[in-house]
Amino acid sequence: CGGSVSDSSGVLQSPNYPGSYPNNADCVWEIQVKNNFRVTLTFRDIAMQSGTCQHDYIEVYDGPLHSSPLLGRFCSGSFPTYVSSSNMMSVRFHSDSRYSFRGFQAHYSSIPAGHNTTIQCLPDYMHVVVSRRYLQSQGYSAQRVTLNDNRCRPTVTPREVVFNIPYNGCGTLQEENNDTINYSNTIRVASSGYVIKRKKNINLHVSCKMLRKSWQQVMYAAEDTVDVNEFQFGRYDMNITFYDSPAFRRQVRGSPYYIDLNQNLYLQACLHSSDPNLKVVVDTCVASPDPHDFNTLAYYLVRNGCPRDSSYATYYSPSSHFARFKFNAFEFMSRHPSVYLKCQMLVCRLGDFSSHCYRGCSSRAKRDTSSAEQEVDVVVGPLQLRGGDAPSGTTG
């Protein structure tokens, strides 16, 4: 139960609904809609063990589960509605080992944020758009909107002032907190006037915070002059590519990738980010014949940084944004022609030797990541045997 949800609207319900939910369930749904939209969640049915809500309960969080405010915890009563302050909301359902009931059903949808300023945290820069009509209504000129670094100019269109602010330039500051990596800058809107002025200047603080599992975007205005408070969530841009040799010079571009049994397979994971102070490593790689199900029939090559397959090995990489590794090809028994890989990559601060990127093999729990780390899932495949089941010689 649980999982990531990205449709603009949908239904959440407890396992087996409207039948009785199982004991000892712990389900977490992460709802993430488009940038500059918000999530509205309405419960239509709740039938659980009532009382103090210590045994069976539902929790709703205003963003990711482990780093966001709790909007509500309940197990009975009226049917509440919640609206997120961002494009992300988490719902947790928990049951204990005692009684079982019908459970719950809820409907969610996305609604426009409805502000005159929008922000997106893209892989290489912050994309900020300010409405010119809004500036003019407040008595400000679009020509007087600047960054900390005056050399980085916005694009001014008839309707908007657009900034593309790099994470590694234009005066962007980097700061590491307990559970975030924070990139911040300030957009300044100066009041017009040569001798005197009666309006305050606007300082519009813009930041992208990298949480353990997502990007968080924050925007607010200082000096009480503009009421803007935007939170958005996105994800790292990561891909995994096959190469034809351990030199990692030529990519394999065909899909599916036809291989021989026991053939050496070379893979490179690449993090697309303008921040040079990040490091990526392979944390977990699991294989399955079904790209949508990595639980029923699964084979781990590496788990929590610990190799599980004897042919798995890592290679030196010329860049901290690359992680290179290999394993020998295999197939699943019982006539499954294709193999898919789902790899969880770990992104850490370069030089943070306390992080799991530098510790290697670890027996930590899945969610026990340290301060400045993010987990990113990538699915790659399919792999298919070349012309039958007979093993062939290795390549490479």
Side-chain angles (χ1 to χ4, degrees):
C1 61
S4 297
V5 181
S6 58
D7 295 333
S8 59
S9 62
V11 175
L12 305 183
Q13 56 191 27
S14 51
N16 301 329
Y17 180 89
S20 297
Y21 52 76
N23 291 328
N24 300 313
D26 198 46
C27 315
V28 177
W29 293 267
E30 286 189 342
I31 308 170
Q32 182 177 343
V33 297
K34 292 181 180 180
N35 283 319
N36 301 303
F37 279 74
R38 305 194 191 286
V39 182
T40 177
L41 178 74
T42 301
F43 286 84
R44 295 174 168 175
D45 185 21
I46 303 172
M48 301 169 61
Q49 183 177 358
S50 60
T52 59
C53 299
Q54 295 297 312
H55 305 289
D56 299 353
Y57 55 82
I58 303 166
E59 292 178 331
V60 180
Y61 290 86
D62 192 14
L65 179 69
H66 295 289
S67 56
S68 303
L70 177 67
L71 295 178
R73 175 174 175 162
F74 53 93
C75 56
S76 61
S78 60
F79 300 159
T81 295
Y82 296 98
V83 179
S84 67
S85 63
S86 71
N87 66 327
M88 193 171 186
M89 177 186 284
S90 295
V91 180
R92 180 189 182 196
F93 167 72
H94 176 83
S95 66
D96 67 1
S97 59
R98 302 179 68 189
Y99 306 109
S100 185
F101 297 85
R102 187 170 68 247
F104 78 91
Q105 186 182 71
H107 178 267
Y108 80 88
S109 59
S110 56
I111 56 175
H115 282 300
N116 295 292
T117 305
T118 61
I119 177 173
Q120 288 179 281
C121 286
L122 299 176
D124 292 325
Y125 56 88
M126 293 178 270
H127 181 72
V128 184
V129 178
V130 184
S131 163
R132 286 193 66 177
R133 178 180 295 178
Y134 172 68
L135 289 173
Q136 292 164 359
S137 70
Q138 302 298 312
Y140 294 95
S141 167
Q143 308 305 321
R144 299 180 68 84
V145 182
T146 63
L147 280 179
N148 272 340
D149 187 339
N150 288 325
R151 294 171 295 180
C152 297
R153 305 295 301 174
T155 299
V156 180
T157 72
R159 295 185 176 184
E160 300 169 334
V161 179
V162 181
F163 282 96
N164 291 326
I165 308 171
Y167 298 130
N168 198 45
C170 290
T172 299
L173 301 177
Q174 301 179 18
E175 180 186 15
E176 192 168 336
N177 295 323
N178 285 339
D179 59 357
T180 61
I181 301 170
N182 188 12
Y183 304 96
S184 61
N185 211 312
T186 303
I187 297 174
R188 304 186 185 280
V189 185
S191 175
S192 57
Y194 294 100
V195 180
I196 66 170
K197 67 176 183 179
R198 299 190 186 278
K199 279 183 167 291
K200 293 181 179 180
N201 294 335
I202 296 176
N203 290 333
L204 192 62
H205 301 280
V206 183
S207 67
C208 285
K209 294 183 180 180
M210 211 269 280
L211 298 174
R212 185 174 64 86
K213 299 196 84 173
S214 64
W215 289 88
Q216 177 187 3
Q217 301 170 158
V218 183
M219 181 189 298
Y220 67 92
E223 299 182 304
D224 231 1
T225 51
V226 179
D227 182 18
V228 180
N229 188 7
E230 290 289 340
F231 296 82
Q232 302 295 325
F233 292 86
R235 303 204 181 268
Y236 264 132
D237 186 7
M238 183 93 67
N239 73 307
I240 295 179
T241 308
F242 286 101
Y243 281 78
D244 65 356
S245 78
F248 291 94
R249 291 196 183 97
R250 287 188 303 178
Q251 295 184 13
V252 176
R253 300 190 180 277
S255 182
Y257 180 17
Y258 290 95
I259 49 86
D260 298 317
L261 277 181
N262 209 36
Q263 174 180 331
N264 288 325
L265 302 180
Y266 305 97
L267 300 93
Q268 175 176 274
C270 179
L271 169 67
H272 301 280
S273 173
S274 62
D275 183 359
N277 299 308
L278 297 177
K279 177 179 176 65
V280 61
V281 299
V282 183
D283 184 69
T284 298
C285 267
V286 58
S288 169
D290 183 347
H292 307 293
D293 181 3
F294 287 87
N295 295 310
T296 304
L297 185 58
Y299 178 74
Y300 282 89
L301 297 168
V302 57
R303 193 168 191 177
N304 293 335
C306 303
R308 294 293 186 89
D309 180 271
S310 60
S311 69
Y312 176 85
T314 59
Y315 285 87
Y316 165 79
S317 172
S319 167
S320 63
H321 283 196
F322 296 156
R324 293 174 170 179
F325 59 103
K326 59 86 65 172
F327 66 94
N328 289 4
F330 60 89
E331 68 171 336
F332 285 94
M333 306 295 285
S334 306
R335 300 183 178 274
H336 293 288
S338 299
V339 177
Y340 293 84
L341 293 180
K342 181 177 181 180
C343 294
Q344 186 174 78
M345 313 304 298
L346 200 59
V347 183
C348 311
R349 295 297 292 172
L350 189 64
D352 178 9
F353 295 102
S354 65
S355 72
H356 293 292
C357 288
Y358 289 90
R359 290 188 210 166
C361 180
S362 169
S363 59
R364 71 185 186 279
K366 180 179 179 183
R367 295 188 179 274
D368 180 23
T369 52
S370 71
S371 59
E373 299 176 9
Q374 181 192 13
E375 297 171 347
V376 183
D377 288 344
V378 183
V379 177
V380 63
L383 301 171
Q384 290 190 359
L385 282 182
R386 183 188 291 120
D389 299 332
S392 303
T394 60
T395 64

